[in-house]
Amino acid sequence: MNILLLGSGGREHALAWKMSQSHHCDKLFIAPGNTGTKQFGSNLPIGVNDFEAIKLACIAEKIGMLVVGPEEPLVKGIYDFFQADRSLQHITVVAPSAAAAQLEGSKAFSKKFMQRQGIPTAAYAEFTLENFEAGKTYIANHTLPVVLKADGLAAGKGVVIAQTITEAQQCFEDMLVHQQFGQASSKVVIEEFLQGIEVSVFVLTDGIDYQIIGHAKDYKRIGEGDTGLNTGGMGCVSPVPFMDEIFMEKVTRKIIAPTVAGLAKENLTYHGFIFFGLMNVAGEPWVIEYNCRMGDPETEVVMPLLQTDLVSLFAAMDNGTLSDANINFDDRFCATIMAVSGGYPGDYQKGILIEGLPTIAAVKDQETMVFHAGTQESGEHIVTNGGRVLAVSSYGKTMSEAVETSKKALASIHFNGMYFRQDIGFEFE
Ligand code: AMP
Ligand code: GLY
C-alpha cells in the first residue's frame, strides 16, 4: 500500500521512520516533509491544509492510507473532506472527524465534554466579550495561580499561568479585547491550577476500541529546571517512573475508557490518535488537555519504543480489529533532546549551516537517531529552517544513560546559536 503522511516536523520524521519499517508500506510520501523524511520516502511540495492538492496527490500516487501529523488539517476537517469525496472514500484516513477534533480545537468544547463524561479535569468557566466584566470579577475571586486559555488553536501559545490577579486580568483583556490570538481568543477559558507532574499518554482508537501505544514526559520550558518561556517541547523521556500499574489503571478507568465511550455516545467519529495531556496530582490523574494527534517531541520517544507495526495498527483500526492487536514495547528507556535555534521561542534566524550531522540520520536498531524538526537543504548543505531544529533520540538501559547518549551525539553536531537543555529527565534521577 502507498501511504501519504502530512507534516514537516520531528514528529513526522519519526512517524516516517516507523511506518517505512512496515511490510504493508510500499511507497511512502510525505507532504511537505523535511530533509530527514526524505530518507524514508518522497517529499511532495504540498501544504498540510491544501486539501485539493492533497486529493490530487492521493489519486496520482494511488494512496491507500493518509496519516495526518499536525492538528490544523484535523480541525479544518480533512477526515470529512475524504469521506465526502467518492474518489477518496476508499482511503484509510488516520484522523478524527472535524466534530471530534474540537476536543483539541476548542478548549471550551473539551471541558464540556469532560464534564458530561465525568472525567477529572480542573474546574473552569468560559467567557467572551459579552460577559467580559463578569470574567474580570471571576478572576478577582479566583485562587492563585490562575490559568487562562484561548479557546481555539494558538500554536501552543494560548495558555497563560498568571501569578497575580492584575496579571490575569491584563491577559484576559489582551486575549478578549485586543484579540491577542485573533479568533482563537474570542472565547477564553479560565481554570484552576493543578499542581503536579505532567505526563502524556497516547492512544489509537476507532471510536469504540482503543490501544495505548505509549506515554512520555515532555519538557516544555526553554530553561533548565523548567524555567523561562514555554516552547513546543525541549525534550522527552519514556517510560516515566510513576507510570506504574496502579497509576495506569487509574488513567485507563477514569480517563481513557470514559473518553472513548464518550466519543461513541456523542456520535463523534474518531479514527486516529488521542493525546491525553495529564497531570499527576498526588497520585491521581487529571486531564489538562486533549490533542487529536501525536505530540512533538513525544513521538520521537514513543515510536522508538513501540515494537508493534504501526501500519498494521492503522489497518486494524480501520477494519474493527484493534482490540485483537498485540502491543509490544522495547524494554529500554528512550530520551530525546531538542536542539533549537538561538533566540527560540522568541525571534531566531533561519538558514544557518548545520555541521556534524550523521549522513544517515535514523536507522533501525541504532542506539541514537537524529530526527529532523526544522531543517532544509541549501545546495549540498543542510541548514536550519525553524526554531526546533533536531530531536536527538537515544535508547538506554536507564533513563540517565539514554539522556547521556543523546548529549554525546549532540556534542558532535553544531550550528551557530544551537541550544539544548542539559537536564532532560532531571526530576527522575
Ligand atoms: P496546553 O496548551 O493546554 O498544553 O497548556 C500548556 C501548558 O500549560 C500545559 O502543558 C501545562 O504545563 C500548563 N497547564 C495548562 N493547564 C493547566 C492547569 N490547569 N494547571 C496547571 N498547569 C496547566
Ligand atoms: N509537545 C507537546 C505537543 O505536541 O503538543
Side-chain angles (χ1 to χ4, degrees), residues 293-373:
R293 53 176 171 84
M294 290 298 292
D296 195 352
E298 289 89 339
T299 307
E300 290 93 305
V301 295
V302 168
M303 287 304 136
L305 292 176
L306 180 68
Q307 289 181 330
T308 307
D309 180 332
L310 186 62
V311 181
S312 301
L313 283 178
F314 292 152
M317 179 194 73
D318 196 51
N319 65 26
T321 57
L322 195 56
S323 59
D324 301 334
N326 282 319
I327 309 288
N328 297 311
F329 297 106
D330 195 298
D331 57 10
R332 290 173 291 177
F333 285 83
C334 189
T336 196
I337 303 180
M338 196 56 94
V340 303
S341 298
Y344 174 81
D347 292 339
Y348 54 84
Q349 283 183 352
K350 290 184 184 178
I352 299 174
L353 177 68
I354 308 173
E355 291 169 295
L357 268 182
T359 32
I360 297 181
V363 177
K364 192 174 178 318
D365 299 330
Q366 170 177 285
E367 201 176 37
T368 295
M369 288 159 289
V370 178
F371 294 118
H372 291 229

Side-chain angles (χ1 to χ4, degrees), residues 55-381:
K55 169 182 169 175
L56 294 179
C58 283
I59 295 167
E61 305 295 353
K62 301 191 171 49
I63 297 297
M65 181 180 280
L66 176 77
V67 181
V68 185
E71 61 275 18
E72 240 192 297
L74 299 173
V75 173
K76 289 191 167 145
I78 194 153
Y79 177 87
D80 311 74
F81 177 87
F82 271 62
Q83 294 312 303
D85 191 314
R86 288 184 63 175
S87 60
L88 302 174
Q89 279 166 355
H90 63 284
I91 298 176
T92 298
V93 181
V94 182
S97 61
Q102 286 301 296
L103 286 179
E104 174 164 4
S106 164
K107 305 271 188 205
F109 177 91
S110 75
K111 295 298 278 189
K112 277 182 267 200
F113 174 86
M114 286 185 264
Q115 286 196 333
R116 284 194 298 273
Q117 303 305 332
I119 293 165
T121 191
Y124 84 106
E126 58 180 83
F127 297 94
T128 60
L129 259 188
E130 279 170 25
N131 53 359
F132 178 68
E133 287 305 324
K136 284 183 79 167
T137 309
Y138 185 83
I139 292 172
N141 294 321
H142 206 285
T143 50
L144 291 170
V146 54
V147 184
L148 279 82
K149 299 183 174 183
D151 179 56
L153 293 185
K157 300 196 173 75
V159 175
V160 174
I161 298 171
Q163 303 295 337
T164 67
I165 301 291
T166 315
E167 183 193 348
Q169 288 181 333
Q170 185 59 52
C171 266
F172 185 62
E173 189 172 325
D174 287 345
M175 285 191 190
L176 277 183
V177 180
H178 306 304
Q179 302 185 322
Q180 187 182 5
F181 301 104
Q183 188 57 30
S185 63
S186 60
K187 193 185 276 178
V188 172
V189 163
I190 298 177
E191 78 178 30
E192 194 184 28
F193 179 79
L194 297 174
Q195 184 75 49
I197 305 184
E198 280 182 74
V199 63
S200 306
V201 178
F202 298 92
V203 159
L204 188 66
T205 185
D206 58 8
I208 296 163
D209 295 312
Y210 66 87
Q211 292 285 356
I212 299 170
I213 58 160
H215 74 263
K217 162 89 176 64
D218 180 19
Y219 292 80
K220 285 211 169 75
R221 302 295 193 96
I222 187 75
E224 279 162 21
D226 288 340
T227 54
L229 293 174
N230 248 325
T231 70
M234 296 296 294
C236 268
V237 293
S238 183
V240 173
F242 66 72
M243 294 292 279
D244 55 13
E245 255 176 57
I246 296 173
F247 192 77
M248 274 311 289
E249 186 279 326
K250 289 180 187 170
V251 171
T252 305
R253 175 169 45 87
K254 295 182 164 188
I255 292 169
I256 301 175
T259 297
V260 176
L263 293 174
K265 263 186 247 165
E266 301 194 12
N267 290 319
L268 294 168
T269 303
Y270 213 113
H271 289 261
F273 298 112
I274 311 180
F275 167 152
F276 294 86
L278 308 179
M279 189 73 89
N280 175 351
V281 183
E284 292 301 319
W286 294 67
V287 179
I288 288 198
E289 62 168 349
Y290 289 115
N291 294 313
C292 294
R293 53 176 171 84
M294 290 298 292
D296 195 352
E298 289 89 339
T299 307
E300 290 93 305
V301 295
V302 168
M303 287 304 136
L305 292 176
L306 180 68
Q307 289 181 330
T308 307
D309 180 332
L310 186 62
V311 181
S312 301
L313 283 178
F314 292 152
M317 179 194 73
D318 196 51
N319 65 26
T321 57
L322 195 56
S323 59
D324 301 334
N326 282 319
I327 309 288
N328 297 311
F329 297 106
D330 195 298
D331 57 10
R332 290 173 291 177
F333 285 83
C334 189
T336 196
I337 303 180
M338 196 56 94
V340 303
S341 298
Y344 174 81
D347 292 339
Y348 54 84
Q349 283 183 352
K350 290 184 184 178
I352 299 174
L353 177 68
I354 308 173
E355 291 169 295
L357 268 182
T359 32
I360 297 181
V363 177
K364 192 174 178 318
D365 299 330
Q366 170 177 285
E367 201 176 37
T368 295
M369 288 159 289
V370 178
F371 294 118
H372 291 229
T375 64
Q376 199 178 25
E377 271 160 326
S378 169
E380 287 177 7
H381 300 295

